[in-house]
Amino acid sequence: MALQSFACSEVYLLPLNGDGSPNVPGGYIYLPPPSDGYILRFVIEGASSVCRKGSLWVNIPTKEETFKRDRFREFKLHPDFNRNLEISVPIYGAGAFAFYITYSPLPEFSFAAVDSPVPSRTLTYYIDVCPSISLKNSTLPLDAISIISVLSKFVGRYPIDWSGHLQDISQRGYNMIHFAPLMHRGDSNSPYSIYDQLSFDPICFPNGEKDVEDLITRMERDFGLLGLTDVVWNHTANNSKWLEEHPEVGYNILNAPWLESALELDNSILLYSKNLTSLGMPTIIQNQDDLSKIMEGLKKHAIGTIKLWEYYVVHVAASTDATIKAWTRGDISFPKAGFDPLGDNGVRDWTLKEKASFLISNGLQDAGYLRERYDRNIDPKVGAGLLTAIFGRYDKETGYDKKLKARAHFAEILDELNLDFYKEYDSDCAAIVEQVSGRVKYTRLEKNGPNLGEINLKNPLVESYFTRLPLNSTTNKHDPKCLALVNNGWIWNANAMIDHAGSGSRAYLRREVISWGDCVKLNYGRSPSDNPYLWDYMAKYTRLMAKHFVGFRIDNCHSTPLPVAEFLLDEARTIRPNLLVCAELFTGSEETDYVFVKRLGISSLIREAMTAWSTGELSRLVHIHGGRPIGSFEIDERTGMDPSSGSDATKVLGHKEVIRNIKPSPVHALFMDCTHDNETPTQKRIARDTLPNAALVSMCACATGSVIGHDEIYPRLVDLVGETRKYAPPALTGFTGIGQIKKLLNRIHTLMGNDGYDETHIHHEGEYITVHRVHPRTRKGYFLIAHTAFPGNRSENEKLQPVHLAGTKARLLGSWTLEVDDTEAAIKAASGDKTYLKGLPSKILDIEGIIIDIFDQDTKISLPERFPSGSIALFETFIPGVDGSDSLDVFSTSGAKEAFKMVDLIDLNFILYRCDAEERDSSAGKDGVYDVPNHGKLVYAGLQGWWSVLRDIIRENNLGHPLCQHLREGQWALEFIVSRMDRIHRQAGYERLEDPARWLQQRFEAIKGVPSFLLPRYFALVMRTAYNAAWDRGIQLLGPTVQNGQGFLQSLAMVSIQQTGLVNSASLYPTKDVPCLAAGLPHFAVDWARCWGRDVFISLRGLHLATGRYAEAKNHILAFGSVLKHGMIPNLLSSGKLPRYNSRDSVWFFLQAIQEYTTIVPSGLDILKEKVERRFLPYDDTWFSFDDHRAYSKTSSLEDVIQEVLQRHATGISFREYNAGPNLDMQMKPEGFQIDIKVDWATGIIFGGSQYNCGTWQDKMGESQRAGNQGIPGTPRDGAAVEIIGLVYSTLRWVTELNKKGSYKYPGVRLADQNVSFQEWASKIESNFERCFYIPINSSDDKNHDVNPKTVNRRGIYKDLYRSGKEYEDYQLRPNFPIAMAVAPQIFNPDHALQALSIADSILRGPSGMATLDPSDLNYRPNYNNSEDSDDFMTSKGRNYHSGPEWLWPTGFFLRALLKFDLIRRKTKEERTETIQQIALRMKGCKEALIKNPWGGLTELTNKDGAFCSDSSPTQAWSAGCLIDVFHDALELSLS
């Protein structure tokens, strides 16, 4: 995407997964307030399948626009295989925004044409942007809010009764008031039963809106208080006048006919309640017997009398009549598939149950709803069809008797069918009785219930579920069915996403709702068009609230339909864009909570400390809302430092961007010590717990709050509905209860929230809780000790063990205990006051005797003997030596780019990597990788070894990881890193490491002085900075293609640095140290096992050429050219000392690499003239040691070396390996040491090998004496191996073209009787390849190919071998033919090739690797275990290494071949894009594997279906290199 210029310099990265979903931990995207605006940058891989005809749609408005939820802007996604797409969207305001992607799904890959899938779209994802709240022109962060709930009806008349309360609230340190609804109340006098949503309470606010406006202005201006109000969207007062005019706003049996049975039952229960006396039932319930008697009467007189079962069952007579009528008319419907697999005649033998089941499945109408009596019916046509299957078609002449039989039989079927419906009815009736019984027991028997007393007209048996509107001139205009409206309520553990008055619920029938009789539930429907008046009316109400209040508390948010809440909040935000939204949300599911939070942009969910039933539970709640642990890791790079390290700060279009990651975020809380809905500490705990409860809440890193009555120590929960007293005027009472301490607690809470104190440590010990909250950089903090007061405390004299604050000093701010008179007399006196709501008598006492001992930098706090429950101690803390700024953070993360700017790629191999074997090799066995106690050894001694562990620790903020504990225990890790770097930079050739060594030493020296609990954090800061600087330097040195590539390509390219380095025991030459490429780590790290000819040249194009490491590529080519012997290069180089020549394919990969070098490297053809000193004599098979005088005595040009390879193969190669026998290979049989290679000049095809050796990459030799497979190759692959033939052809074609251009002096090869030009040789292969290797899809084409039909296992593929020692091995499907396709596409029929690739795609391709054998093959054994020593000939000692396990490097060649051949059939840009995306889709498993792999690479192989293989080398050079080849090909093709 083209870079865009924005004024914003702050950028939040939003990476998207390949399916368009956000790649953010937890999936919750929560962004801070955009005070000056910032950029949200979407990042998605350009080859992701959702980019196919893709568009990103966002409804984030521009700076000039207002937000509209359904107005989305389109950003086209232009596919790009090599880069990530970035879309920058400025955000200027708060809200709940959404995005999604539309795209054309990628079709299933197929050789044949397939229909294009229909356009699709992702799910909608949400972005919540926090509002910016200001108080007196200063920003008030959410975590700094201290709120108090006020019920206006208890304050009194405005303004005369309000000023004293506002001043008192302000003086106690609160900065926001939460108002229960201030609107005109209904008959019940509950604030939440609103009579008129558009008018304020006339008693409190006689001047209406004018008074409220004045109140809010004065609150902020005079008292520093903001206002937040409840909004009630779910119901209205049952006496609201507008209900009479618009009964459609509620649920009635006209617009909700499924409620008819519930209404009828409700009427019947009310009638039963009224008639209890006349029925001989008790009206005062004194015991369980009375209740049981009434419940038995309920069954008979309330439920039984209304024949409720008629709502459930099919009317047998009516449905039978209708069906017989349809049958006699021939109006019949049969199921499409017939009645029975055995034929329709089988229906006659069905049981009644089977016939009834058929009707339920095929003919039942209105099965789910209970709308009216006998609403369930059988479709007469379906019933007639069943009768026809049983009795045949109706015949008038003989039909009378048949008709009678059919009628009787169909009635029997319906009786059977109704049995299940009667069971359904019985179940619902049982629920009705259970629910009514439970409700009556609570309201009239239980001690904690309301004890309603006698059952009468005012207090019936149970609350009515319906409000009956009065009959008057207004309501008489409506259908009578409209006039009974369902009341709102709540249900225990209900699914918040279900409308319990909706058609899918029977909650009102089953009496599961705890009903609020004073509130009518509002019926919005799905959209404004369903109920225009209601949506418009409630929008006016919501806008009115937004006009005056800074925020909302959504009452019963969980019962509010999401579309309704979205609509109304959108309306509110048009008035107040920075609207604070809090909600009570009782969904019972964190996942469901997130749905509401994300879609509505909820700022905080209300949580309450008083729900805790014990000290332990209270500690858990404080821990949840307390903030991050102390010493937490920084998710982002520190800003303002190096403009490097993975994009912390970059320059775009002339201005500096600060890049931030989106941090994992829990749902924010408004944590209340107590709410107006729940009981007080006096009721639920012990009254003196008021003080520690309030103190613990105030220490939390979130918005906090209280309710009038908690600080004052009210003895009882205030009855919102029935209470008529007022709050006691502050002038009368002063600072009662804990008011004076609450002032300090609120002040500290606000200070910590404003300044960003977001790290907390919570400790629970017995009935004590300690909380330490600190600033993450200045390390200033506050420390609280709280002794809770829960009932049943084990011992009032329990003492907290002395508290140790490591590296921290503390100053006592104060310690206090709360004494409360909570005797029955005191409670009675406070509760019995006729005028005012008052708290219990109490006093705050200072506690003396707290001892603070200082030991060096540590502090010990000891409590006095008397520190009773209900006490707290509060301290201010700081760390000596920390200057109160973030200078240590700045120093720890600055200067790395400069320090690492001169290192080269070999330096970086040491800095970043070095496995244990490499490290020990370079230190004479003295040093290895670091071993972390209780974790184990790191994979590398270098920075990658540390970062692979730290990466996950930081992401998960896992301070409990063994590495963190190890760092807290001592500084050994720091010393290891510094001493390692110090040692190496003093060695010759590593002088450039002095600056990085000094940088690390200085940073570690600086952080050594921090307290041990902070060392993991600062260690991670330093290591991440160093790692990113080294990584960025590596990317810089690997060339522009890598620099500009996507992250996956860059990670693959870094494997080049990982695998190429200096080791003492291995080099490219016997007498000089040269960096060499390892085959893989750690298995192939040092000595003879490090450098393999085959592995080097399969990897070279990707790891060296595509990364711009031309010098290293040249060194490896010349070095292996120098050891040419027998016309072959060695597979095992052994530094040129003891090279082993046992691989037939290595030399062809060598020649392919030279070819790639000449085409990729500028002036690459010059290498052909380079002089090569020969380890052995040219065209001479004589063996001699590396220190023999003949060694390196002759030189050849590389051109001559190439020619020697071709000439020796042309005339045939036959030799026995030097030093053949057990000293060379203890597993091989004597015959296996014989190497024979020849050309069949009829076809030009090269043959070689035997059944006793394995000369290609699939080279596992049997080793098990027990299983009898020792010396028997698992995959001999003798004859002509398909990939070798492709490589030979590629080389011949290349030298032919070079010869024509005069760049290669040899025209061909000499045979004994003739000369053969390279072009002739290549033509022979080209003209014979398809005939020899292709297995036709149709056997009729076998005559045109060299095929034995009896041996064919699978058609439409290419043979793996031609004329091998075992014929069936020729016909095996293996992943080798794509290698030939990638290098020699010219010898393949494009249609055949694509079809074969399609088969391999479905049969061989695993999540990341290619199965090495067809699963249908009898030899397929997909799980490799090299240590297995069993009797199994196939698998013992890992003989099945290449007989099923899924190898990763062939994946690269497979994808290259697929790319080449699929593009042949693609004509348009769109079609070619599809090919690229098919390739990208098939890299998904490799991408995921690379991300998870601590070795920073791709494994050698996996077991079946990508399962982990413990014997696989965890990072293999060719696994990464061959995938880089795919990117290289894709880039070449895009350029062409």
Side-chain angles (χ1 to χ4, degrees), residues 905 1038 1042 1049-1060 1077-1080 1095-1110 1112-1113 1515-1525:
L905 292 168
L1038 291 174
V1042 174
L1049 173 60
Q1050 293 180 342
S1051 295
L1052 291 171
M1054 290 298 287
V1055 176
S1056 171
I1057 300 174
Q1058 174 196 107
Q1059 301 284 345
T1060 308
L1077 182 64
D1095 298 61
V1096 163
F1097 293 109
I1098 289 175
S1099 308
L1100 195 85
R1101 181 177 188 259
L1103 293 187
H1104 284 172
L1105 295 176
T1107 59
R1109 302 189 70 171
Y1110 303 146
E1112 287 91 342
T1515 176
Q1516 198 81 347
W1518 59 14
S1519 297
C1522 290
L1523 284 179
I1524 297 175
D1525 288 339

Side-chain angles (χ1 to χ4, degrees), residues 664-879:
S665 177
V667 176
H668 287 232
L670 168 53
F671 192 31
M672 308 286 288
D673 51 27
C674 190
T675 67
H676 64 278
D677 290 325
N678 288 316
E679 295 174 318
T680 66
T682 306
Q683 293 171 283
K684 295 193 75 172
R685 300 178 189 167
I686 298 172
R688 60 182 178 273
D689 191 63
T690 301
L691 178 59
N693 185 60
L696 288 165
V697 169
S698 70
M699 288 293 289
C700 291
C702 63
T704 60
S706 189
V707 60
I708 288 185
H710 178 269
D711 295 353
E712 295 81 0
I713 319 178
Y714 281 6
R716 294 283 182 266
L717 168 68
V718 178
D719 180 2
L720 299 184
V721 179
E723 183 61 72
T724 58
R725 295 174 293 168
K726 299 289 188 290
Y727 296 135
L732 183 67
T733 60
F735 263 169
T736 59
I738 64 167
Q740 192 64 42
I741 305 301
K742 197 62 174 287
K743 175 181 180 180
L744 174 63
L745 293 172
N746 280 336
R747 180 181 66 80
I748 291 174
H749 174 78
T750 300
L751 180 150
M752 291 191 293
N754 275 322
D755 291 351
Y757 289 61
D758 69 348
E759 293 188 359
T760 312
H761 177 72
I762 296 103
H763 174 68
H764 168 221
E765 183 179 316
E767 301 304 319
Y768 287 86
I769 300 172
T770 67
V771 182
H772 192 191
R773 185 171 163 195
V774 302
H775 193 280
R777 287 184 287 281
T778 67
R779 311 319 302 181
K780 291 181 178 179
Y782 291 90
F783 180 68
L784 171 73
I785 300 175
H787 190 178
T788 63
F790 281 81
N793 280 5
R794 292 187 297 275
S795 172
E796 181 57 37
N797 297 321
E798 180 184 47
K799 187 176 178 182
L800 180 70
Q801 293 297 312
V803 176
H804 294 267
L805 299 178
T808 303
K809 292 189 176 179
R811 181 175 69 87
L812 179 66
L813 296 178
S815 55
W816 308 273
T817 189
L818 174 64
E819 290 188 353
V820 183
D821 183 356
D822 55 0
T823 61
E824 286 297 325
I827 292 173
K828 186 174 181 181
S831 303
D833 191 290
K834 302 298 183 183
T835 308
Y836 295 119
L837 295 164
K838 289 184 176 180
L840 295 173
S842 63
K843 55 185 176 181
I844 297 285
L845 301 177
D846 290 338
I847 296 178
E848 304 292 339
I850 290 179
I851 299 173
I852 300 177
D853 293 316
I854 306 297
F855 301 97
D856 192 14
Q857 303 297 320
D858 299 345
T859 299
K860 184 176 80 171
I861 299 172
S862 302
L863 297 182
E865 288 299 322
R866 185 178 181 278
F867 196 83
S869 60
S871 302
I872 66 169
L874 189 60
F875 305 82
E876 190 174 33
T877 67
F878 63 97
I879 293 178

